[in-house]
Amino acid sequence: MTKIFNDPSNFAEEALAGFCDVHSNLVRQVPGGAVRRHRPVQPKVAVLAGGGSGHYPAFAGLIGQGFADGAVVGNIFTSPSAQQAYAVAKAAESGAGIVFTYGNYAGDVMNFGMASERLAAEGIAVENVLVTDDIASAPPSEVDKRRGIAGDFTVFKIMGAAAETGAGLADVVRLGRLANARTRTIGSAFSGCTFPGASAPLFSLQDGQMGLGLGIHGEPGLFDTDLPSAEELGRELVTRLLAETPEGAGTRIAVILNGLGSTKHEELFVLWGTVAPLLRAAGYTLVMPEVGELVTSLDMAGVSLTVTWLDDELEPLWVAPAETPAYRRGNTARESGAAAVEEAHDAGTDVAAFVASPASRDYARACVAALEAARSSIREAEEVLGRMDAIAGDGDHGRGMVRGIDAAAAAAAIALEQGAGAGDVLAAAGDAWADKAGGTSGVLWGAGLRALGESVANSAVPAPQELAAAVTAFAERVVQLGKAETGDKTMVDALLPFAETLGRLVDKGRPLDAAWEEAARRATDAAAATADLLPLKGRARPLAGKSLGTPDPGATSLAMLFTVMGPHFTAIPAKEPAAAQA
Ligand code: ADP
Ligand code: MG
């Protein structure tokens, strides 16, 4: 249980600020995360690790010479936003390119992907290296679907060391992917973990039970079993990993025995007493093994075992010196970089020059009211949505939605005050949602709302068909970004019926409010019907079976929001276009 916190929703930000203060000789806080205190004298590839908070020392604790150049720091167990990734990249970039590296989670893939597009458009060379070491998260035939857990540490370390030697972007990326292809991890949990301020753990295990194959966001294990002895546990972990020995592997391996947050080092040493002899008996030489807490899950009790099969290229990088706040190996030469440039970041937002008709401003007021209604209903449903997401996902859906809608409603109100029309108000709400919510649903809601706003004019109240087209634009953007299809058990299962029904009924001449109500009923039914589906996308996929019988959280919240926003979006009738004035 996390005992020390103020406002739980500020936990990650406050932790990052404290961390950056303690380690101010090595790191510097920047918008979106942290970077090394010193900038390199020569241009070097910037290796930027990232992901949610709650995994310390991953990821900010690994900033320093021989390791990461910076970390993009999301909220607890939640992907950072594309804006955060972009901002950290801009702060860390020194002319030789950027590589974002992170565990394979949909939210991270989308956010780092969007930041990469933006950086590339500015002419900055940028690549992404995904870590997929968790052998329990998908079968060997689907390695691309595996998530990244403690193998992050090895892969980031090897890339950081390569970048430190002056390797170019292509080489750093190649070595990172090679390291990932040769890294396997299996984990097991003995107890759940609890978000700061939460009244119950994300998941729980019966006393005396162990969940095998857990993820670092508390995704429950593949199966639960009686707690074995240390020796039985060690044997189980080693056997499962060696069964996945990569082709052409040599006999030298890097090994990490990792504690997940509240497992004592002494317990790990006892387990090591089984793991190391078994690996040696299998003919391996253990190269600079690590036993400790390197990638954690808040206060979870549990362990994971990682093996990286080394070769002549990877071994020198694995053993190379590193000096970071949380991890030190060998002697790094004193860093001779230029002193940090403390850029004065303008915290104030630009006051945009909005152009809108009075009618659109009236409609913008209705949009703000719609977002306020959405905010109340999501706040009420936060706990329920979180529990739904915890069944097969990571339990953060309620909190992520609250962060998103809070930011969206606030940004919309500010834009309205500055004279924005409805389109600009909705687009501003989308940008704020994407920036603050994190997680897969946050990216999708943010981008969807922006698309909605871009389709709504600032010159007039949208006609029913225009509003229906704008909702379709929302849906198309979500499908384009998330690539989910109907039946994949995602928010798309509620969104597409909504957009389709609204468009069809409006085309038939049904009054807008009645059409919207009917569409919202269809979306609500469709969301409920996802209970019978197996998730094929997102964090719930690896544990698809567990989610049978529970509706998809993202579909549920979407239907809820479209339902409560309806009366506001449909209250103000559109005038004939001729009546609209600029
Ligand atoms: P995360 O999965 O990153 O923890 P949330 O818990 O906030 O994010 O949101 C989970 C929801 O996101 C799921 O219930 C599902 O509706 C939706 N989702 C996940 N992946 C996709 C996708 N690829 N396309 C559309 N929706 C998705
Ligand atoms: Mg989630």
Side-chain angles (χ1 to χ4, degrees):
M1 203 83 160
T2 308
K3 309 258 185 353
I4 301 179
F5 53 86
N6 296 306
D7 176 350
S9 63
N10 289 334
F11 184 87
E13 283 152 49
E14 291 180 18
L16 178 65
F19 162 80
C20 288
D21 185 75
V22 176
H23 295 291
S24 59
N25 57 326
L26 291 172
V27 305
R28 173 166 78 91
Q29 189 168 4
V30 296
V35 297
R36 289 193 200 175
R37 164 59 57 190
H38 298 281
R39 289 184 62 79
V41 191
Q42 302 289 335
K44 81 176 271 292
V45 172
V47 175
L48 301 181
S53 297
H55 305 303
Y56 192 85
F59 303 96
L62 305 177
I63 297 171
Q65 219 180 336
F67 227 122
D69 292 83
V72 188
V73 181
N75 197 27
I76 296 179
F77 288 7
T78 306
S79 164
S81 70
Q83 174 62 32
Q84 287 184 284
Y86 172 83
V88 173
K90 292 290 276 192
E93 203 269 324
S94 65
I98 298 283
V99 52
F100 289 125
T101 183
Y102 46 90
N104 182 28
Y105 298 92
D108 295 288
V109 173
M110 281 189 250
N111 281 306
F112 284 105
M114 286 198 282
S116 301
E117 281 173 25
R118 197 167 155 198
L119 292 162
E122 291 180 16
I124 295 172
V126 54
E127 296 279 356
N128 286 245
V129 172
L130 278 62
V131 181
T132 55
D133 58 312
D134 182 359
I135 65 170
S137 55
S141 57
E142 296 181 305
V143 278
D144 291 349
K145 289 189 176 159
R146 286 182 172 176
R147 39 187 199 232
I149 49 175
D152 283 350
F153 187 90
T154 331
V155 176
F156 299 172
K157 164 84 178 64
I158 284 170
M159 291 171 76
E164 211 66 59
T165 65
L169 182 59
D171 252 344
V172 173
V173 168
R174 182 182 61 79
L175 290 161
R177 296 204 174 123
L178 176 64
N180 179 55
R182 292 172 154 263
T183 298
R184 311 272 189 272
T185 301
I186 176 86
S188 83
F190 316 125
S191 79
C193 57
T194 308
F195 272 52
S199 53
L202 262 183
F203 68 94
S204 45
L205 287 155
Q206 275 176 9
D207 273 353
Q209 291 266 296
M210 168 183 96
L212 191 74
L214 84 162
I216 54 169
H217 305 97
E219 297 97 333
L222 290 179
F223 60 82
D224 296 350
T225 171
D226 287 343
L227 192 59
S229 68
E231 193 194 328
E232 287 161 344
L233 175 59
R235 209 168 272 286
E236 172 93 47
L237 298 179
V238 169
T239 307
R240 283 180 180 266
L241 280 193
L242 295 189
E244 287 226 14
T245 304
E247 229 169 89
T251 57
R252 298 175 70 79
I253 53 177
V255 184
I256 298 174
L257 187 58
N258 176 56
L260 287 165
S262 60
T263 301
K264 286 186 63 65
H265 279 71
E266 282 94 335
E267 296 176 85
L268 296 176
F269 293 138
V270 169
L271 186 56
W272 184 251
T274 297
V275 166
L278 282 176
L279 290 172
R280 291 192 186 108
Y284 288 111
T285 302
L286 281 43
V287 181
M288 289 195 136
E290 295 290 343
V291 174
E293 292 198 337
L294 300 172
V295 179
T296 61
S297 297
L298 291 172
D299 57 343
M300 194 190 297
V303 295
S304 65
L305 179 64
T306 301
V307 169
T308 301
W309 280 264
L310 299 169
D311 64 9
D312 293 347
E313 272 190 301
L314 298 179
E315 183 165 334
L317 299 170
W318 169 244
V319 302
E323 184 174 8
T324 77
Y327 181 76
R328 183 170 190 162
R329 173 182 284 174
N331 274 324
T332 51
R334 182 172 286 276
E335 196 161 53
S336 54
V341 194
E342 301 278 355
E343 285 133 69
H345 278 278
D346 184 10
T349 42
D350 294 342
V351 176
F354 292 117
V355 180
S357 72
S360 181
R361 279 214 288 277
D362 282 347
Y363 193 63
R365 204 160 288 123
C367 295
V368 170
L371 292 167
E372 274 306 327
R375 197 166 108 103
S376 312
S377 75
I378 283 297
R379 286 194 155 250
E380 256 170 51
E382 174 179 355
E383 182 103 21
V384 175
L385 293 170
R387 298 214 158 272
M388 237 180 225
D389 189 31
I391 297 210
D394 55 359
D396 64 350
H397 186 63
R399 177 138 320 168
M401 290 295 288
V402 166
R403 283 179 72 90
I405 190 66
D406 278 357
I414 289 169
L416 177 68
E417 211 166 274
Q418 294 173 346
D424 285 333
V425 159
L426 291 169
D431 290 350
W433 191 315
D435 189 32
K436 290 285 163 8
T440 317
S441 64
V443 188
L444 297 174
W445 263 98
L449 265 185
R450 166 156 270 284
L452 183 77
E454 284 171 2
S455 318
V456 168
N458 294 300
S459 54
V461 177
Q465 277 169 332
E466 288 167 343
L467 186 60
V471 169
T472 300
F474 183 121
E476 280 171 355
R477 184 80 179 113
V478 167
V479 169
Q480 180 212 351
L481 264 180
K483 301 187 176 62
E485 292 168 17
T486 299
D488 285 353
K489 192 160 189 171
T490 70
M491 60 196 265
V492 165
D493 287 325
L495 180 54
L496 290 183
F498 183 89
E500 184 277 321
T501 307
L502 182 67
R504 185 165 42 78
L505 297 181
V506 159
D507 278 345
K508 277 196 197 156
R510 184 84 67 88
L512 181 60
D513 51 354
W516 190 291
E517 277 169 26
E518 177 61 27
R521 271 193 295 276
R522 283 284 313 279
T524 306
D525 292 346
T530 58
D532 300 333
L533 298 174
L534 288 170
L536 298 177
K537 284 273 179 323
R539 286 199 161 137
R541 188 194 51 77
L543 292 163
K546 293 213 182 205
S547 105
L548 260 191
T550 305
D552 176 60
T556 307
S557 59
L558 186 131
M560 194 180 283
L561 290 195
F562 274 85
T563 303
V564 299
M565 292 194 295
H568 303 279
F569 280 136
T570 60
I572 299 183
K575 300 244 173 25
E576 287 308 306
Q581 55 173 105

